[in-house]
Amino acid sequence: MPALVALLTEDAKADVKSIPLRLHSTNTGDKLSIDLFIGSNWNPTGLVQADYMLRDFRQNLVVQNDRRLYAALYVLQRAFVGDGFVKVNSGFRTTITNEMLRRQGYGAARESFHTKARAVDYLIPNPNATLPEIARVAKGFHIGAVALYNNFIHMDTGDPDRHWGLSY
């Protein structure tokens, strides 16, 4: 069973196809509505589109990202914005981009999961939910670490016991 379907509640499983994953890149302005599944199988075209949205836009490099990130973002979208967009600040980063961000003081980790295509920084705009609430839900997926910052959430598929950022 695909990771996404395993994360969904029984009610949501009935209409998996009805709401696509909607991603908005805050850096490029790109917006896409992506059908991740065809029936109960991953949609190869949708995955290519999702990987494109999480690309390193500075180096214009697209790689295959960890599919669990898409499953988690989809469930968070369904829970907090329905047919709205998840705003992606950062997905995959090349080591060149990661080092540039480190030099500029953005706090990019030397061994960042972003460079392994296993991390995403995002914001889910919802006036009825706080970032700490959304971070707690994401942490409950147990797919990796979740860190809260002032204006976004980091989620990766590494060791879930790592902690940094603000309390939530």
Side-chain angles (χ1 to χ4, degrees):
M1 180 178 294
L4 172 63
V5 176
L7 289 172
L8 294 173
T9 65
E10 288 301 319
D11 289 341
K13 285 181 189 178
D15 64 342
V16 165
K17 206 55 179 135
S18 67
I19 299 175
L21 173 63
R22 290 185 169 95
L23 299 176
H24 172 209
S25 170
T26 60
N27 294 298
T28 66
D30 294 339
K31 285 185 175 183
L32 278 178
S33 294
I34 302 162
D35 290 321
L36 289 176
F37 286 88
I38 298 173
S40 63
N41 297 312
W42 288 102
N43 175 1
T45 302
L47 291 172
V48 168
Q49 292 175 315
D51 288 337
Y52 176 79
M53 290 299 290
L54 267 62
R55 74 190 181 281
D56 182 332
F57 70 94
R58 292 173 181 91
Q59 304 298 320
N60 198 29
L61 182 61
V62 179
V63 300
Q64 181 176 315
N65 289 275
D66 191 321
R67 300 323 190 203
R68 293 174 290 176
L69 297 172
Y70 301 137
L73 289 174
Y74 181 81
V75 173
L76 291 168
Q77 173 193 302
R78 292 284 307 255
F80 293 104
V81 291
D83 62 357
F85 283 82
V86 175
K87 296 182 179 222
V88 175
N89 300 334
S90 183
F92 169 71
R93 295 193 297 243
T94 62
T95 53
I96 293 168
T97 294
N98 201 62
E99 285 305 310
M100 182 222 25
L101 293 172
R102 283 177 51 75
R103 284 192 308 275
Q104 292 178 354
Y106 284 99
R110 191 172 305 280
E111 296 294 322
S112 173
F113 276 83
H114 286 279
T115 64
K116 300 170 187 173
R118 293 179 55 196
V120 63
D121 295 341
Y122 64 93
L123 172 64
I124 296 181
N126 181 326
N128 300 314
T130 66
L131 281 177
E133 289 171 317
I134 297 168
R136 282 192 293 275
V137 170
K139 185 71 172 170
F141 296 154
H142 304 290
I143 64 166
V146 175
L148 176 63
Y149 292 87
N150 285 328
N151 56 356
F152 69 93
I153 299 168
H154 167 93
M155 179 172 56
D156 66 43
T157 59
D159 179 356
D161 293 329
R162 291 174 296 126
H163 299 283
W164 72 97
L166 303 172
S167 294
Y168 60 92

